[in-house]
Coordinates of all heavy atoms in Angstrom, one line a residue:
F183 N 115.7 102.0 101.0 CA 115.8 102.0 102.5 C 114.4 101.7 103.0 O 113.4 102.2 102.5 CB 116.2 103.4 102.9 CG 117.6 103.8 102.6 CD1 118.0 104.3 101.4 CD2 118.6 103.6 103.6 CE1 119.3 104.6 101.1 CE2 119.9 103.9 103.4 CZ 120.2 104.4 102.1
F184 N 114.3 100.9 104.0 CA 113.1 100.6 104.7 C 113.3 100.3 106.1 O 114.4 99.9 106.5 CB 112.3 99.5 104.0 CG 113.0 98.1 104.0 CD1 112.5 97.2 104.9 CD2 114.0 97.8 103.2 CE1 113.1 95.9 105.0 CE2 114.6 96.5 103.3 CZ 114.2 95.6 104.2
G185 N 112.3 100.4 106.9 CA 112.4 100.1 108.3 C 111.5 98.9 108.7 O 110.8 98.4 107.8
A186 N 111.5 98.5 109.9 CA 110.8 97.4 110.4 C 110.5 97.5 111.8 O 111.1 98.2 112.6 CB 111.5 96.1 110.1
A187 N 109.5 96.7 112.3 CA 109.1 96.7 113.7 C 110.0 95.8 114.5 O 110.2 96.1 115.7 CB 107.7 96.3 113.9
A188 N 110.6 94.8 113.9 CA 111.5 93.9 114.6 C 112.3 93.1 113.6 O 112.0 93.0 112.4 CB 110.6 92.9 115.4
L189 N 113.4 92.5 114.2 CA 114.3 91.6 113.4 C 114.5 90.4 114.3 O 115.2 90.4 115.3 CB 115.6 92.3 113.1 CG 116.5 91.5 112.0 CD1 117.4 92.4 111.3 CD2 117.2 90.3 112.7
S190 N 113.8 89.3 113.9 CA 113.8 88.1 114.6 C 114.9 87.2 114.0 O 114.9 87.0 112.7 CB 112.5 87.4 114.6 OG 112.6 86.1 115.0
F191 N 115.7 86.5 114.8 CA 116.7 85.6 114.2 C 116.0 84.3 113.7 O 116.6 83.6 112.9 CB 117.8 85.3 115.2 CG 118.7 86.5 115.5 CD1 118.6 87.2 116.7 CD2 119.6 86.9 114.5 CE1 119.4 88.3 116.9 CE2 120.4 88.0 114.8 CZ 120.3 88.7 116.0
R192 N 114.8 84.0 114.2 CA 114.0 82.9 113.7 C 113.1 83.2 112.5 O 113.0 82.4 111.6 CB 113.2 82.3 114.8 CG 113.9 81.5 115.9 CD 113.0 80.8 116.9 NE 111.8 81.5 117.2 CZ 110.5 81.0 116.9 NH1 110.4 79.9 116.3 NH2 109.5 81.7 117.2
K193 N 112.5 84.4 112.6 CA 111.4 84.7 111.6 C 111.8 85.8 110.6 O 111.0 86.1 109.7 CB 110.2 85.1 112.3 CG 109.6 83.9 113.2 CD 108.3 84.3 113.8 CE 107.7 83.2 114.7 NZ 106.5 83.6 115.3
G194 N 112.9 86.4 110.8 CA 113.4 87.5 109.8 C 112.9 88.8 110.2 O 112.6 89.2 111.3
V195 N 112.8 89.7 109.1 CA 112.3 91.1 109.3 C 110.8 91.0 109.5 O 110.1 90.4 108.7 CB 112.7 91.9 108.1 CG1 112.2 93.3 108.2 CG2 114.2 91.9 107.9
M196 N 110.3 91.7 110.5 CA 108.9 91.7 110.8 C 108.3 93.1 111.0 O 109.0 94.0 111.3 CB 108.7 90.9 112.1 CG 109.3 89.5 112.1 SD 108.9 88.5 113.5 CE 107.2 88.0 113.1
V197 N 107.0 93.1 110.7 CA 106.2 94.4 110.8 C 104.9 94.1 111.5 O 104.5 93.0 111.8 CB 105.9 94.9 109.4 CG1 107.2 95.3 108.6 CG2 105.1 93.9 108.5
Y198 N 104.2 95.2 111.8 CA 102.9 95.1 112.5 C 101.7 95.3 111.5 O 100.6 95.0 111.8 CB 102.7 96.1 113.6 CG 103.5 95.8 114.8 CD1 104.6 96.6 115.2 CD2 103.3 94.6 115.5 CE1 105.3 96.3 116.4 CE2 104.0 94.3 116.6 CZ 105.0 95.1 117.0 OH 105.8 94.8 118.1
D199 N 102.1 95.8 110.3 CA 101.1 96.0 109.2 C 101.0 94.9 108.2 O 102.0 94.7 107.5 CB 101.4 97.4 108.6 CG 100.4 97.8 107.5 OD1 99.4 97.1 107.3 OD2 100.7 98.8 106.9
P200 N 99.9 94.2 108.1 CA 99.8 93.1 107.1 C 99.9 93.6 105.7 O 100.2 92.9 104.7 CB 98.5 92.4 107.4 CG 97.7 93.5 108.1 CD 98.7 94.4 108.8
E201 N 99.6 94.9 105.5 CA 99.6 95.6 104.2 C 101.0 96.2 103.8 O 101.1 97.0 102.9 CB 98.5 96.6 104.1 CG 97.2 96.1 104.5 CD 96.4 95.4 103.4 OE1 96.5 95.9 102.3 OE2 95.6 94.5 103.7
A202 N 102.0 96.0 104.6 CA 103.3 96.6 104.4 C 103.7 96.4 102.9 O 103.6 95.3 102.4 CB 104.3 96.0 105.4
P203 N 104.3 97.4 102.3 CA 104.6 97.4 100.9 C 105.8 96.5 100.5 O 106.9 97.0 100.4 CB 104.8 98.8 100.5 CG 105.3 99.4 101.8 CD 104.6 98.7 102.9
R204 N 105.6 95.2 100.4 CA 106.6 94.3 100.0 C 107.3 94.5 98.7 O 108.4 94.1 98.4 CB 106.1 92.8 100.2 CG 105.9 92.5 101.6 CD 105.2 91.2 101.8 NE 105.1 90.8 103.2 CZ 104.2 91.3 104.0 NH1 103.3 92.3 103.6 NH2 104.1 91.0 105.3
E205 N 106.6 95.3 97.8 CA 107.1 95.6 96.5 C 108.4 96.5 96.6 O 109.2 96.6 95.7 CB 106.1 96.3 95.6 CG 105.5 97.5 96.1 CD 104.2 97.3 97.0 OE1 103.8 96.2 97.2 OE2 103.7 98.3 97.5
L206 N 108.6 97.1 97.8 CA 109.8 97.8 98.1 C 111.0 96.9 97.9 O 112.1 97.4 97.4 CB 109.8 98.3 99.5 CG 109.1 99.6 99.8 CD1 109.1 99.8 101.3 CD2 109.7 100.8 99.1
L207 N 110.9 95.7 98.2 CA 112.0 94.8 98.1 C 112.5 94.5 96.7 O 113.7 94.2 96.5 CB 111.7 93.4 98.7 CG 111.3 93.5 100.2 CD1 110.8 92.1 100.7 CD2 112.5 93.9 101.1
D208 N 111.7 94.8 95.7 CA 112.0 94.5 94.3 C 112.2 95.8 93.5 O 112.5 95.8 92.3 CB 110.9 93.7 93.7 CG 110.8 92.3 94.3 OD1 111.9 91.7 94.6 OD2 109.7 91.8 94.5
S209 N 112.0 97.0 94.2 CA 112.0 98.2 93.4 C 113.4 98.9 93.3 O 113.6 99.8 92.5 CB 111.1 99.2 94.1 OG 111.5 99.6 95.4
G210 N 114.4 98.5 94.0 CA 115.7 99.1 94.0 C 116.8 98.1 93.7 O 116.6 96.9 93.7
R211 N 118.0 98.6 93.5 CA 119.1 97.7 93.3 C 119.6 97.1 94.6 O 120.2 96.0 94.6 CB 120.3 98.5 92.6 CG 120.0 98.7 91.1 CD 121.2 99.3 90.5 NE 120.9 100.8 90.6 CZ 121.9 101.7 90.6 NH1 123.1 101.3 90.5 NH2 121.6 103.0 90.7
Q212 N 119.5 97.8 95.7 CA 119.9 97.3 97.0 C 118.7 97.5 98.0 O 118.0 98.5 97.9 CB 121.1 98.1 97.6 CG 122.4 97.7 97.0 CD 123.6 98.2 97.9 OE1 123.6 99.3 98.3 NE2 124.5 97.3 98.1
R213 N 118.7 96.6 99.0 CA 117.7 96.7 100.0 C 118.4 97.0 101.3 O 119.2 96.1 101.8 CB 116.9 95.4 100.1 CG 116.0 95.2 98.9 CD 115.5 93.7 98.8 NE 116.6 92.8 98.5 CZ 117.1 92.5 97.3 NH1 116.7 93.2 96.3 NH2 118.1 91.6 97.2
V214 N 118.2 98.2 101.9 CA 118.9 98.6 103.1 C 117.8 98.7 104.2 O 116.9 99.5 104.2 CB 119.6 100.0 102.9 CG1 120.3 100.4 104.1 CG2 120.5 99.9 101.7
L215 N 118.0 97.9 105.2 CA 117.1 97.9 106.4 C 117.8 98.8 107.4 O 118.9 98.7 107.8 CB 117.0 96.5 107.0 CG 116.3 96.4 108.3 CD1 114.8 96.9 108.2 CD2 116.3 95.0 108.9
V216 N 117.0 99.8 107.9 CA 117.4 100.7 108.9 C 116.5 100.3 110.2 O 115.3 100.4 110.1 CB 117.2 102.2 108.5 CG1 117.6 103.1 109.7 CG2 117.9 102.5 107.2
I217 N 117.2 99.9 111.2 CA 116.5 99.4 112.4 C 117.2 99.7 113.7 O 118.4 99.6 113.8 CB 116.2 97.9 112.3 CG1 115.2 97.4 113.3 CG2 117.5 97.1 112.3 CD1 114.6 96.0 113.0
D218 N 116.4 100.2 114.7 CA 116.9 100.5 116.0 C 117.4 99.2 116.6 O 116.8 98.2 116.5 CB 115.8 101.1 116.8 CG 116.2 101.6 118.2 OD1 116.2 100.7 119.1 OD2 116.6 102.7 118.3
S219 N 118.5 99.3 117.3 CA 119.1 98.1 118.0 C 118.2 97.4 119.0 O 118.2 96.2 119.1 CB 120.4 98.5 118.7 OG 120.2 99.4 119.7
S220 N 117.3 98.2 119.6 CA 116.3 97.6 120.5 C 115.3 96.7 119.9 O 114.7 95.9 120.5 CB 115.6 98.7 121.3 OG 114.7 99.4 120.4
K221 N 115.2 96.7 118.6 CA 114.3 95.9 117.8 C 114.9 94.6 117.3 O 114.2 93.7 116.8 CB 113.7 96.7 116.6 CG 112.9 97.9 117.1 CD 112.4 98.6 115.9 CE 111.6 99.9 116.3 NZ 111.1 100.6 115.1
I222 N 116.2 94.5 117.5 CA 116.9 93.3 117.0 C 116.8 92.2 118.0 O 117.0 92.4 119.2 CB 118.4 93.6 116.7 CG1 118.5 94.6 115.6 CG2 119.2 92.4 116.4 CD1 119.8 95.2 115.3
G223 N 116.4 91.0 117.6 CA 116.2 89.9 118.5 C 114.8 89.9 119.0 O 114.4 89.1 119.9
Q224 N 113.9 90.7 118.4 CA 112.5 90.8 118.8 C 111.6 90.2 117.7 O 112.1 90.0 116.6 CB 112.1 92.3 119.1 CG 113.0 93.0 120.1 CD 112.9 92.3 121.5 OE1 111.8 92.0 122.0 NE2 114.0 92.1 122.1
E225 N 110.3 90.1 118.0 CA 109.4 89.7 117.0 C 108.2 90.6 117.0 O 107.8 91.3 118.0 CB 108.9 88.2 117.3 CG 109.9 87.2 117.1 CD 109.4 85.8 117.2 OE1 108.2 85.6 117.4 OE2 110.3 84.9 117.2
A226 N 107.6 90.7 115.8 CA 106.4 91.5 115.6 C 105.3 90.6 115.1 O 105.5 89.3 115.1 CB 106.6 92.7 114.6
T227 N 104.2 91.1 114.6 CA 103.1 90.3 114.2 C 103.2 89.6 112.9 O 102.9 88.4 112.8 CB 101.8 91.2 114.2 OG1 101.7 91.9 115.4 CG2 100.6 90.3 114.0
Y228 N 103.8 90.2 111.9 CA 103.8 89.7 110.5 C 105.3 89.6 110.0 O 106.0 90.6 110.2 CB 103.0 90.5 109.6 CG 101.6 90.7 110.0 CD1 101.1 91.8 110.7 CD2 100.7 89.6 109.7 CE1 99.8 91.9 111.1 CE2 99.3 89.8 110.1 CZ 98.9 90.9 110.8 OH 97.6 91.0 111.2
G229 N 105.6 88.6 109.3 CA 106.8 88.5 108.6 C 106.8 89.4 107.4 O 105.8 89.5 106.7
F230 N 107.9 90.1 107.1 CA 108.1 90.9 106.0 C 109.0 90.3 104.9 O 108.7 90.2 103.8 CB 108.6 92.3 106.4 CG 108.6 93.3 105.3 CD1 107.4 93.9 104.8 CD2 109.8 93.7 104.7 CE1 107.5 94.8 103.8 CE2 109.9 94.7 103.7 CZ 108.7 95.2 103.3
C231 N 110.2 89.9 105.4 CA 111.1 89.2 104.5 C 112.2 88.5 105.3 O 112.4 88.9 106.5 CB 111.7 90.2 103.5 SG 112.9 91.4 104.3
P232 N 112.9 87.5 104.7 CA 114.0 86.9 105.4 C 115.1 87.9 105.5 O 115.3 88.8 104.7 CB 114.4 85.8 104.5 CG 113.3 85.6 103.5 CD 112.6 86.9 103.4
V233 N 116.0 87.8 106.5 CA 117.1 88.7 106.7 C 118.0 88.7 105.5 O 118.6 89.7 105.1 CB 117.9 88.3 108.0 CG1 119.2 89.1 108.1 CG2 117.1 88.5 109.2
D234 N 118.2 87.5 104.8 CA 119.1 87.5 103.7 C 118.5 88.2 102.5 O 119.3 88.4 101.5 CB 119.5 86.0 103.3 CG 118.3 85.2 102.9 OD1 117.2 85.7 102.8 OD2 118.5 84.0 102.8
R235 N 117.3 88.8 102.5 CA 116.8 89.6 101.4 C 117.4 91.1 101.6 O 117.3 91.9 100.7 CB 115.3 89.7 101.4 CG 114.6 88.5 100.9 CD 114.6 88.2 99.4 NE 114.4 89.3 98.5 CZ 113.2 89.7 98.0 NH1 112.1 89.1 98.4 NH2 113.1 90.7 97.1
C236 N 117.9 91.4 102.7 CA 118.5 92.7 103.0 C 120.0 92.7 102.5 O 120.7 91.7 102.9 CB 118.5 93.0 104.5 SG 116.9 93.0 105.2
D237 N 120.4 93.7 101.8 CA 121.8 93.7 101.4 C 122.6 94.4 102.5 O 123.8 94.0 102.6 CB 121.9 94.6 100.1 CG 121.2 93.9 98.9 OD1 121.5 92.8 98.6 OD2 120.2 94.5 98.4
V238 N 122.1 95.3 103.2 CA 122.8 96.0 104.2 C 121.8 96.2 105.4 O 120.6 96.5 105.1 CB 123.3 97.4 103.8 CG1 124.0 98.1 104.9 CG2 124.3 97.2 102.6
I239 N 122.3 96.2 106.6 CA 121.5 96.5 107.8 C 122.2 97.6 108.5 O 123.4 97.5 108.8 CB 121.3 95.3 108.7 CG1 120.6 94.2 108.0 CG2 120.6 95.7 110.0 CD1 120.6 92.8 108.7
I240 N 121.5 98.7 108.7 CA 122.0 99.8 109.5 C 121.3 99.9 110.8 O 120.1 99.9 110.9 CB 121.8 101.2 108.7 CG1 122.5 101.1 107.3 CG2 122.3 102.4 109.6 CD1 122.2 102.4 106.5
T241 N 122.1 100.0 111.9 CA 121.6 100.1 113.2 C 122.4 101.0 114.0 O 123.4 101.6 113.5 CB 121.5 98.7 113.9 OG1 120.7 98.8 115.1 CG2 122.8 98.1 114.2
D242 N 122.1 101.2 115.3 CA 122.8 102.1 116.2 C 123.8 101.3 117.0 O 123.8 100.1 117.1 CB 121.9 102.9 117.0 CG 121.0 102.1 117.9 OD1 121.5 101.7 119.0 OD2 119.9 101.7 117.5
R243 N 124.7 102.0 117.7 CA 125.7 101.4 118.5 C 125.2 100.7 119.8 O 126.0 100.2 120.5 CB 126.8 102.4 118.8 CG 126.4 103.6 119.6 CD 127.6 104.5 119.8 NE 127.1 105.7 120.4 CZ 127.8 106.7 120.7 NH1 129.1 106.7 120.5 NH2 127.3 107.8 121.3
G244 N 123.9 100.7 120.0 CA 123.4 100.0 121.2 C 123.2 98.5 120.9 O 122.8 97.8 121.8
I245 N 123.5 98.1 119.7 CA 123.4 96.7 119.4 C 124.3 95.8 120.3 O 125.4 96.2 120.6 CB 123.7 96.4 117.9 CG1 123.3 95.0 117.5 CG2 125.1 96.8 117.5 CD1 123.4 94.7 116.0
K246 N 123.7 94.7 120.8 CA 124.4 93.8 121.6 C 125.6 93.1 120.8 O 125.3 92.8 119.6 CB 123.5 92.7 122.2 CG 122.4 93.3 123.1 CD 121.5 92.2 123.4 CE 120.3 92.7 124.1 NZ 119.2 91.8 124.2
P247 N 126.7 93.0 121.4 CA 127.8 92.4 120.6 C 127.5 91.0 120.0 O 127.9 90.7 118.9 CB 129.0 92.3 121.6 CG 128.7 93.4 122.6 CD 127.2 93.4 122.7
A248 N 126.8 90.2 120.7 CA 126.4 88.9 120.2 C 125.4 89.0 119.0 O 125.5 88.2 118.1 CB 125.7 88.0 121.3
D249 N 124.5 90.0 119.1 CA 123.6 90.2 117.9 C 124.4 90.7 116.7 O 124.1 90.3 115.6 CB 122.5 91.2 118.3 CG 121.5 90.6 119.3 OD1 121.5 89.4 119.5 OD2 120.7 91.4 119.9
L250 N 125.3 91.6 116.9 CA 126.1 92.1 115.8 C 126.9 91.0 115.2 O 127.0 90.9 114.0 CB 127.1 93.2 116.4 CG 128.0 93.8 115.3 CD1 127.2 94.4 114.2 CD2 128.9 94.9 116.0
E251 N 127.5 90.2 116.0 CA 128.3 89.0 115.5 C 127.4 88.1 114.6 O 127.8 87.7 113.6 CB 129.0 88.3 116.6 CG 129.8 87.1 116.1 CD 130.5 86.4 117.3 OE1 130.7 86.9 118.3 OE2 130.7 85.1 117.1
R252 N 126.3 87.8 115.2 CA 125.3 86.9 114.5 C 124.8 87.5 113.2 O 124.8 86.8 112.1 CB 124.1 86.6 115.4 CG 123.3 85.5 115.0 CD 122.3 85.2 116.1 NE 121.4 84.1 115.7 CZ 120.5 83.6 116.4 NH1 120.2 84.1 117.6 NH2 119.8 82.6 116.0
L253 N 124.5 88.8 113.1 CA 124.1 89.4 111.9 C 125.2 89.5 110.9 O 124.9 89.3 109.7 CB 123.5 90.8 112.2 CG 122.1 90.9 112.7 CD1 121.7 92.3 113.0 CD2 121.1 90.3 111.7
T254 N 126.4 89.8 111.3 CA 127.5 90.0 110.3 C 127.9 88.7 109.7 O 128.5 88.7 108.6 CB 128.7 90.7 111.0 OG1 129.1 89.9 112.1 CG2 128.4 92.1 111.4
R255 N 127.4 87.6 110.2 CA 127.7 86.3 109.6 C 126.9 86.1 108.3 O 127.2 85.4 107.4 CB 127.4 85.1 110.5 CG 128.4 84.9 111.5 CD 128.2 83.6 112.3 NE 128.4 83.9 113.7 CZ 127.7 83.4 114.7 NH1 126.6 82.7 114.5 NH2 128.0 83.8 115.9
V256 N 125.7 86.8 108.2 CA 124.8 86.7 107.1 C 124.7 87.9 106.2 O 124.3 87.8 105.1 CB 123.4 86.2 107.5 CG1 123.5 84.8 108.1 CG2 122.8 87.1 108.5
R257 N 124.9 89.1 106.8 CA 124.7 90.3 106.0 C 125.8 91.4 106.4 O 126.4 91.3 107.5 CB 123.4 90.9 106.3 CG 122.2 90.3 105.7 CD 122.3 90.4 104.2 NE 121.9 89.1 103.6 CZ 122.5 88.6 102.5 NH1 123.5 89.1 101.9 NH2 122.1 87.4 102.0
K258 N 125.9 92.4 105.6 CA 126.8 93.5 105.9 C 126.0 94.4 106.9 O 124.8 94.7 106.7 CB 127.1 94.3 104.7 CG 127.9 95.6 105.0 CD 128.2 96.4 103.8 CE 129.1 97.6 104.2 NZ 129.4 98.4 103.0
V259 N 126.6 94.7 108.0 CA 126.0 95.6 109.1 C 126.8 96.8 109.2 O 128.0 96.8 109.4 CB 125.9 94.8 110.4 CG1 125.2 95.7 111.5 CG2 125.1 93.5 110.2
V260 N 126.1 98.0 109.2 CA 126.7 99.3 109.5 C 126.2 99.8 110.8 O 125.0 99.8 111.0 CB 126.4 100.3 108.4 CG1 127.0 101.6 108.7 CG2 126.9 99.8 107.0
V261 N 127.1 100.1 111.7 CA 126.7 100.6 113.0 C 126.9 102.1 113.0 O 128.0 102.6 112.9 CB 127.5 100.0 114.2 CG1 127.1 100.6 115.5 CG2 127.3 98.5 114.2
A262 N 125.8 102.9 113.1 CA 125.9 104.3 113.0 C 126.3 104.9 114.4 O 125.9 104.4 115.4 CB 124.5 104.9 112.6
E263 N 127.1 105.9 114.3 CA 127.6 106.5 115.5 C 126.6 107.6 116.0 O 125.9 108.2 115.3 CB 129.0 107.2 115.3 CG 130.0 106.2 114.9 CD 130.5 105.4 116.1 OE1 130.6 105.9 117.2 OE2 130.9 104.2 115.9

């Protein structure tokens, strides 16, 4: 499980820390991104990984329907209640 500062549809998962631990992506069997819906469609300073490196994306029900549709085309998305 990991979080991020933003999820850009152009640039992928993004962070503000250039030293963010990218080794997290290789340390488990699944990569689960937990991200607030307000951060989807936004950009931060540094790229962390492409969206397709995430096995599952968990967000809240505030996600815009168009963003949910777009994300579910490339990854499994779980909307928490």
Side-chain angles (χ1 to χ4, degrees):
F183 290 83
F184 66 100
L189 190 156
S190 166
F191 290 107
R192 284 186 329 114
K193 297 182 179 181
V195 179
M196 303 187 79
V197 295
Y198 288 116
D199 181 3
E201 310 271 330
R204 287 169 178 79
E205 58 273 359
L206 279 173
L207 298 172
D208 298 320
S209 64
R211 284 184 271 153
Q212 279 196 316
R213 291 165 294 279
V214 180
L215 172 63
V216 180
I217 192 163
D218 183 273
S219 64
S220 67
K221 297 177 180 179
I222 297 172
Q224 304 297 313
E225 291 188 5
T227 309
Y228 302 99
F230 186 74
C231 70
V233 173
D234 63 6
R235 288 286 315 268
C236 304
D237 296 301
V238 178
I239 299 168
I240 299 174
T241 191
D242 60 86
R243 60 183 172 178
I245 188 170
K246 296 174 190 167
D249 290 345
L250 178 59
E251 182 181 332
R252 192 169 181 182
L253 279 178
T254 55
R255 283 189 223 139
V256 294
R257 284 295 140 222
K258 178 179 180 181
V259 178
V260 175
V261 178
E263 296 286 327

